[in-house]
Amino acid sequence: MSWHEGLQIVHAEGRGRHVVATRDIEAGKLLLTEECAASMTFRGEDENDPPPCCSTCMEPFGAETLKCKCCELQHYCSRACLDAGCRAYHSSMGECAAFEAGLETEKDGRKANRREFDFHDVPQRFLIRVLSQAGRWRVPGEPMTCDVINRILALEAHIPEEGSEEHNWLSAIARNTLRLMDESVEIGVAINVTDAAATSKAGEQPLLYGVRQLTRLLCCINCNSHTLYAREVGPLKAAGTAIYVQGERVETLCAC
């Protein structure tokens, strides 16, 4: 993350940690930049509409619009963005297959009136994106990396009391997410051996991300995500969401 030289992080009683300016800063100056840990565009207003912008570069669409032929949730402005998205997170056997399963499960859940089977963009679909982009999850049964995920888990977040209605609902989403990913609900998602050795040696992290860890991850995502807005003439329109691990305490709107 890159900070403007006129900013400083301070801590004050009653206000907690926050950012202050150490000198006058001209209006319009860029204050900080940080690459997000994970980002995702929202779906269109209906199933026949594309999202507000490209799923990879998040720029407005031009003459060409390509979409994933399998899940049909990812839309791209070019072949280059399609290929980049597939390399970065949207693997055919990983995220794409999980998105497809989510859409099918949602249909069944609506018939049975099961709320935990909803497949909204947030938090359900975005949880899979975080695991795929930040955790590099690609194929069921293969380990993912945990460095960035652990940093998200370390963010401040409201964790509902175990046994409460909210906690039970989040836990149900975590279990359903593991099913959509074709991972074991009882075991969880495996962690890369190198990452796991570094964390388990200190006794801070299990070798697997199970329902408990994914439930906490959901809480951290919900409390620390930022809305992305498309650059358009007229009112700002929410285009997607993203999570950052350094600048998450800075309350701001992000433009894409």
Side-chain angles (χ1 to χ4, degrees):
M1 181 176 67
S2 175
W3 285 86
H4 188 282
E5 60 183 8
L7 295 180
Q8 182 180 2
I9 299 177
V10 298
H11 189 281
E13 189 69 28
R15 296 189 62 185
R17 184 181 177 188
H18 58 283
V19 178
V20 298
T22 58
R23 60 178 175 81
D24 291 338
I25 300 175
E26 295 179 15
K29 286 290 186 179
L30 185 64
L31 298 182
L32 67 89
T33 59
E34 179 189 359
E35 184 176 350
C36 65
S39 64
M40 185 189 74
T41 53
F42 295 145
R43 281 175 266 193
E45 295 182 359
D46 62 57
E47 59 183 19
N48 296 319
D49 287 338
C53 54
C54 175
S55 297
T56 297
C57 69
M58 295 194 170
E59 290 291 333
F61 292 109
E64 185 179 28
T65 302
L66 304 174
K67 70 177 179 179
C68 175
K69 295 181 179 179
C70 296
C71 70
E72 298 187 346
L73 291 178
Q74 298 294 108
H75 291 70
Y76 308 94
C77 66
S78 66
R79 183 71 198 187
C81 279
L82 187 153
D83 292 340
C86 291
R87 288 194 303 270
Y89 46 79
H90 197 65
S91 64
S92 60
M93 296 178 64
E95 182 185 88
C96 183
F99 283 0
E100 283 188 274
L103 295 174
E104 288 299 318
T105 301
E106 184 176 54
K107 293 178 183 178
D108 296 337
R110 287 175 178 172
K111 294 177 182 177
N113 196 25
R114 298 282 298 275
R115 183 186 176 205
E116 69 269 24
F117 290 148
D118 288 341
F119 194 59
H120 300 304
D121 287 339
V122 177
Q124 288 91 336
R125 189 160 75 98
F126 192 44
L127 174 60
I128 297 175
R129 169 56 55 82
V130 170
L131 295 173
S132 301
Q133 187 172 358
R136 299 177 183 271
W137 177 77
R138 295 292 182 270
V139 180
E142 292 189 3
M144 65 179 188
T145 60
C146 66
D147 177 58
V148 179
I149 297 291
N150 282 350
R151 292 166 69 187
I152 296 175
L153 286 168
L155 300 177
E156 293 184 14
H158 163 67
I159 310 297
E161 184 180 353
E162 288 195 31
S164 66
E165 182 178 354
E166 183 181 6
H167 190 276
N168 291 340
W169 175 63
L170 292 172
S171 296
I173 292 176
R175 288 192 296 272
N176 192 45
T177 297
L178 289 169
R179 296 188 186 101
L180 298 180
M181 296 168 64
D182 200 19
E183 300 281 3
S184 170
V185 176
E186 291 73 23
I187 298 176
V189 185
I191 297 172
N192 183 280
V193 174
T194 303
D195 292 339
T199 53
S200 63
K201 185 176 180 180
E204 297 177 351
Q205 192 74 23
L207 300 177
L208 298 158
Y209 284 135
V211 173
R212 178 183 290 273
Q213 287 73 33
L214 293 189
T215 300
R216 179 176 178 83
L217 183 60
L218 273 169
C219 297
C220 294
I221 291 171
N222 290 343
C223 293
N224 295 282
S225 295
H226 292 255
T227 301
L228 304 176
Y229 289 86
R231 286 196 183 102
E232 292 183 349
V233 177
L236 286 175
K237 182 178 181 180
T241 185
I243 187 164
Y244 302 82
V245 295
Q246 294 293 332
E248 84 288 340
R249 292 183 178 85
V250 180
E251 290 296 329
T252 185
L253 299 180
C254 304
C256 64

